[in-house]
Amino acid sequence: MPLNKEIILAIDGGGTKTDLAAGDVSGHLSFMVNGPSTNVKSRPAALVKEDLFRMLDALIQEGNFSVEEIAGVSVAAAGGDRPEDQAKWKEWFHLYGIRPKTITIMNDCLAPLVAATKKKEGLVLIAGTGSIAYYFKKDGSAIRAGGWGYLLGDEGSGYDIGNHALRSVLKHHDGRRDEGEALTASVLEHFGLKQPMELITHIYEASYPRETIAGLGRRVIELAREGNKDALEIMLVSIRELEGLLSAIYEKEEDSKNSSLVISGGLFQSAFFKQAFESSIRRRGMLQTIIHPEYPPVIGAYICALLERLGHMPDKAEENIEKSWQAANRIKVEGGLVDE
């Protein structure tokens, strides 16, 4: 279905992948692109820019529209609330030739929250490649916990789980842990390796080590579901870390306890992890309603643009989104290589 020639471009830039969507102001979404991570804190900026441009090329070519027809851009990105990152994104759009009436760059936590509630207020917890909790208040201010990146934090994330698993495997290989045969075998199988010594080359020479390690996190959760003791222990530590993020928000803002909790990110795609997390926070007395968004975060970024443009979410626009987003044409763009 062709779009009306007043196009909204929405982007969700995660630690593992990036999603782009093009829709009109009536809520009709026709084209979506999936590509590599656009996190400028864990990938070279030059590589991120080139990958972004390739995704934009694919979207515009498939959608058969021009940059002049883009009336608004809404980006939900890791670090999107930092002025230096906002400036970088806007510079890239201008270099590409996109100069719409509005370019909004926001923290990636806002997208899943809006995807779930259609509002820019509430409590959200993300556990994917990284981890962060955010409480967006009615007055527009916000409180956060976590989100410090894989070098300084990201406790409870997919990267954190994968990193713990690798450390356990290597300690077992050294003789610093007695148990670990089953975990070691599963980790080596996951990477297609024969012995732990091969992990050094495989991890350190990976094009994107953070993603490589975070991808192991999903395998660890599956092992936990199968009853592996080491994997289950690692997963439970992850859940306690995520609870700590929520507790930090509660301590800073009492009203956050009365808000529904939106949960998002790759770890919550596992029904086993999601159930274990919900059971754990219930035992700790966190009794608020838990919501898992029906739409992916990129649709939340798109809804943010509609809210900013229209001031509210019309019923007809919401109906159009529900009907059109899954039927939208989807394009896959692989990451490229840039000489530094």
Side-chain angles (χ1 to χ4, degrees):
M1 178 187 67
L3 295 170
N4 295 330
K5 295 305 182 180
E6 192 173 13
I7 294 164
I8 292 175
L9 174 65
I11 299 177
D12 172 56
T16 299
K17 64 182 179 67
T18 298
D19 292 321
L20 283 71
D24 60 28
V25 295
S26 300
H28 294 108
L29 287 146
S30 291
F31 304 98
M32 298 181 71
V33 171
N34 173 260
S37 168
T38 46
N39 188 333
V40 296
K41 293 297 184 284
S42 56
R43 299 187 74 207
L47 181 56
V48 170
K49 184 188 78 170
E50 293 302 321
D51 283 342
L52 174 64
F53 282 12
R54 248 197 325 277
M55 287 184 273
L56 290 170
D57 286 344
L59 186 66
I60 290 172
Q61 181 178 355
E62 182 71 19
N64 193 29
F65 57 84
S66 67
V67 293
E68 289 79 15
E69 292 166 324
I70 299 174
V73 176
S74 179
V75 179
D81 50 355
R82 289 188 290 264
E84 63 270 25
D85 285 15
Q86 292 175 343
K88 195 181 299 293
W89 276 95
K90 290 178 180 179
E91 177 188 0
W92 289 338
F93 288 125
H94 289 160
L95 286 173
Y96 191 84
I98 297 175
R99 295 179 173 86
K101 298 175 184 177
T102 58
I103 298 178
T104 303
I105 318 294
M106 70 196 86
N107 187 279
D108 59 345
C109 281
L110 192 56
L113 176 67
V114 174
T117 66
K118 316 303 184 295
K119 297 178 181 179
K120 294 183 179 181
E121 58 187 67
L123 179 64
V124 59
L125 172 68
I126 294 181
T129 303
S131 62
I132 190 172
Y134 240 109
Y135 179 58
F136 296 91
K137 302 168 72 171
K138 291 182 179 180
D139 63 6
S141 62
I143 299 170
R144 62 178 282 171
W148 297 109
Y150 71 107
L151 292 178
L152 301 177
D154 276 352
E155 296 90 349
S157 66
Y159 174 86
D160 192 39
I161 291 175
N163 198 9
H164 272 89
L166 288 169
R167 290 171 181 269
S168 293
V169 166
L170 298 180
K171 285 181 179 179
H172 174 68
H173 178 71
D174 286 346
R176 291 180 285 157
R177 291 185 78 245
D178 293 333
E179 299 180 356
E181 289 86 354
L183 180 62
T184 296
S186 294
V187 168
L188 293 177
E189 180 184 5
H190 173 80
F191 289 125
L193 305 176
K194 295 182 179 180
Q195 58 173 319
M197 285 297 294
E198 295 177 281
L199 286 167
I200 295 176
T201 298
H202 188 81
I203 298 298
Y204 283 97
E205 294 187 9
S207 60
Y208 190 16
R210 185 190 183 209
E211 182 178 348
T212 300
I213 294 173
L216 176 61
R218 293 186 289 273
R219 177 57 182 148
V220 173
I221 291 173
E222 181 62 22
L223 286 173
R225 188 187 66 80
E226 294 170 0
N228 181 276
K229 180 181 176 182
D230 291 326
L232 183 59
E233 182 178 332
I234 292 170
M235 190 188 82
L236 293 178
V237 169
S238 165
I239 289 174
R240 287 196 292 272
E241 293 286 3
L242 297 177
E243 290 172 349
L245 296 179
L246 293 177
S247 295
I249 297 289
Y250 296 154
E251 287 293 323
K252 295 175 183 177
E253 181 57 60
E254 185 71 20
D255 286 346
S256 65
K257 296 180 180 179
N258 301 319
S259 172
S260 297
L261 171 62
V262 174
I263 57 175
S264 183
L267 296 189
F268 291 119
Q269 297 301 316
S270 164
F272 179 73
F273 184 90
K274 182 173 177 283
Q275 182 179 14
F277 170 79
E278 292 186 11
S279 297
S280 183
I281 67 171
R282 296 302 186 212
R283 288 194 298 270
R284 293 193 59 180
M286 303 177 186
L287 303 178
Q288 61 231 99
T289 301
I290 298 175
I291 304 173
H292 198 232
E294 60 179 311
Y295 299 129
V298 69
I299 304 302
Y302 173 71
I303 294 172
C304 281
L306 293 182
L307 290 172
E308 184 167 324
R309 188 177 184 86
L310 304 174
H312 68 292
M313 188 63 184
D315 292 340
K316 186 61 177 178
E318 188 170 347
E319 180 182 325
N320 289 337
I321 291 172
E322 184 177 354
K323 289 180 178 179
S324 65
W325 81 271
Q326 287 187 315
N329 294 328
R330 283 166 165 76
I331 311 147
K332 175 72 175 179
V333 175
E334 300 294 339
L337 295 175
V338 172
D339 293 331
E340 288 294 297

